[in-house]
Amino acid sequence: MRQPFRRASIYLHLLLITEAVIGLLILVVTAYYHTVLTGYLSEIECRLVYGYLFGIYVFGAQVMVTFLCSIAMWRRIWRRRCTPNIRLLLSVWAFYSCVIIASGFGCIWNLYRGVDVLENAADTSLTRGIDMYYSCPEWKLLWDGLQWHKECCGVHGYKDWMNAEWMPRRENNCTSMVLAPFACCKRSCDSCFNNFLPGEGQSIGGNSRQPFPALTVDSINANGCLPAFVGAVWNCFYILMALWVLALKFLIVLCCMTKFIVHRQNEGDGCDNVGLTDDDGHPLVVVKYPCNVRCVTIAEDDLVSDNVPDVNYCNCNEMDDEPCGY
């Protein structure tokens, strides 16, 4: 196949590589936010997140593999003539690529529809984790790591800890005191950390230590962890949607460029044998032949006659790919 303009194959390969890179980015972004979201949840809810992200994993892998293989396909096509089989192959390739991009939109839309489901699941899971904070070491480690790294406290706020069944009740004269785990403390608050040093805690009745040191709202992260989870889900959705839009735009350019290349092959190589006539308006059929093959011209009257026609040989080697006869 002939290149319709200079460096057409290079531009086409760059578009294919760009599509493959977009597929790789979709995989990377999905894996990153998968790790972030599962850090908020228990094992059961993690499976729910995986169910919503599995289709996006498949979509990213299909985009990357399909367009990497398309590079090898186009390299072979450039070495061949434009035939009906080549046109059929390119049509199937373009249709399959469009199906992949369309399925990707369905996977991302499924994530959009599942935002509320994931939020409710995270709310239920984290609330259950507060009640099991001391009875289940796994939940204690999850909550401490989550609140320390995300700089949040509780599900909706620090008051979720104070409403827990196992939390000691405040006295009437201690309304300004906040009861919360150590991980809720702000990293920049020195007084908050001093309360947890051995021998530095406050006491009740002279000798008895409190399960939690006395804290204030200013010394802890008052915001809840659930809004951070929901924000991570929306960030994942927006980034994936932006990558999908890019993949769609580059696919449209690829399809238009493929159509243009095939159209120029039809015009330049006579792939369809359309529009070629002689001086009298009779249609001509262009025949490609090797240089070592001789051709003959046969008049129209000889085709209906039983006599052996007079054969006139033409020198095919000197005609430089021009049609030899009709």
Side-chain angles (χ1 to χ4, degrees):
M1 291 179 62
R2 297 178 182 177
Q3 299 189 30
F5 53 88
R6 187 178 180 184
R7 298 179 180 178
S9 61
I10 296 178
Y11 296 139
L12 185 64
H13 289 167
L14 287 177
L15 289 173
L16 295 174
I17 293 174
T18 303
E19 287 280 24
V21 171
I22 291 176
L24 178 61
L25 290 177
I26 291 174
L27 289 176
V28 172
V29 170
T30 305
Y32 171 76
Y33 278 100
H34 188 189
T35 303
V36 171
L37 297 178
T38 52
Y40 291 82
L41 307 173
S42 62
E43 183 179 356
I44 298 177
E45 284 75 16
C46 289
R47 296 176 183 177
L48 178 63
V49 175
Y50 180 75
Y52 279 100
L53 298 181
F54 176 76
I56 301 177
Y57 277 119
V58 175
F59 167 59
Q62 283 184 327
V63 171
M64 183 177 65
V65 173
T66 298
F67 288 100
L68 285 178
C69 295
S70 299
I71 297 175
M73 181 194 73
W74 273 99
R75 287 180 177 176
R76 295 179 63 88
I77 287 178
W78 286 119
R79 303 190 186 103
R80 303 186 61 178
R81 292 182 54 247
C82 177
T83 62
N85 290 336
I86 293 296
R87 295 200 304 274
L88 177 61
L89 174 63
L90 293 177
S91 299
V92 173
W93 169 78
F95 176 76
Y96 178 70
S97 300
C98 293
V99 170
I100 291 178
I101 300 300
S103 65
F105 177 78
C107 295
I108 298 175
W109 181 258
N110 183 50
L111 176 62
Y112 170 77
R113 295 290 300 272
V115 172
D116 293 337
V117 177
L118 293 175
E119 181 180 1
N120 293 333
D123 190 353
T124 303
S125 176
L126 293 176
T127 302
R128 184 174 69 251
I130 290 179
D131 295 332
M132 301 175 64
Y133 183 77
Y134 271 123
S135 61
C136 181
E138 295 179 357
W139 271 113
K140 186 178 187 306
L141 291 175
L142 187 149
W143 261 116
D144 289 344
L146 178 63
Q147 293 178 136
W148 178 255
H149 294 293
K150 302 300 181 181
E151 298 184 5
C152 56
C153 186
V155 181
H156 301 279
Y158 68 94
K159 293 183 179 180
D160 294 331
W161 290 105
M162 302 173 66
N163 296 329
E165 296 180 357
W166 49 265
M167 181 66 71
R169 302 306 172 190
R170 297 180 301 177
E171 298 180 0
N172 295 330
N173 58 351
C174 298
T175 56
S176 62
M177 184 179 64
V178 175
L179 299 178
F182 165 78
C184 288
C185 292
K186 294 181 179 179
R187 299 179 183 179
S188 59
C189 182
D190 296 332
S191 61
C192 182
F193 292 100
N194 291 334
N195 288 332
F196 288 87
L197 295 177
E200 298 292 336
Q202 298 180 359
S203 62
I204 298 179
N207 296 321
S208 176
R209 292 178 56 85
Q210 301 180 71
F212 284 92
L215 303 174
T216 62
V217 178
D218 295 334
S219 62
I220 65 172
N221 299 299
N223 56 299
C225 296
L226 184 62
F229 174 84
V230 177
V233 176
W234 281 113
N235 290 337
C236 178
F237 168 75
Y238 290 138
I239 295 176
L240 291 175
M241 181 58 69
L243 291 174
W244 179 84
V245 171
L246 287 177
L248 177 62
K249 290 183 177 180
F250 283 112
L251 178 62
I252 293 175
V253 175
L254 276 171
C255 292
C256 294
M257 191 172 180
T258 301
K259 183 66 176 179
F260 177 72
I261 291 173
V262 174
H263 180 70
R264 291 299 300 270
Q265 302 301 315
N266 295 344
E267 291 182 351
D269 292 343
C271 188
D272 289 336
N273 295 323
V274 176
L276 300 177
T277 58
D278 60 4
D279 296 337
D280 298 330
H282 299 98
L284 291 175
V285 177
V286 178
V287 180
K288 292 290 184 179
Y289 50 83
C291 297
N292 58 350
V293 175
R294 294 196 306 173
C295 56
V296 298
T297 58
I298 302 177
E300 184 177 357
D301 296 338
D302 295 330
L303 295 177
V304 297
S305 175
D306 294 334
N307 299 327
V308 178
D310 296 332
V311 177
N312 297 323
Y313 293 97
C314 58
N315 190 353
C316 297
N317 295 331
E318 299 178 358
M319 303 197 69
D320 297 331
D321 292 341
E322 293 294 332
C324 210
Y326 59 92

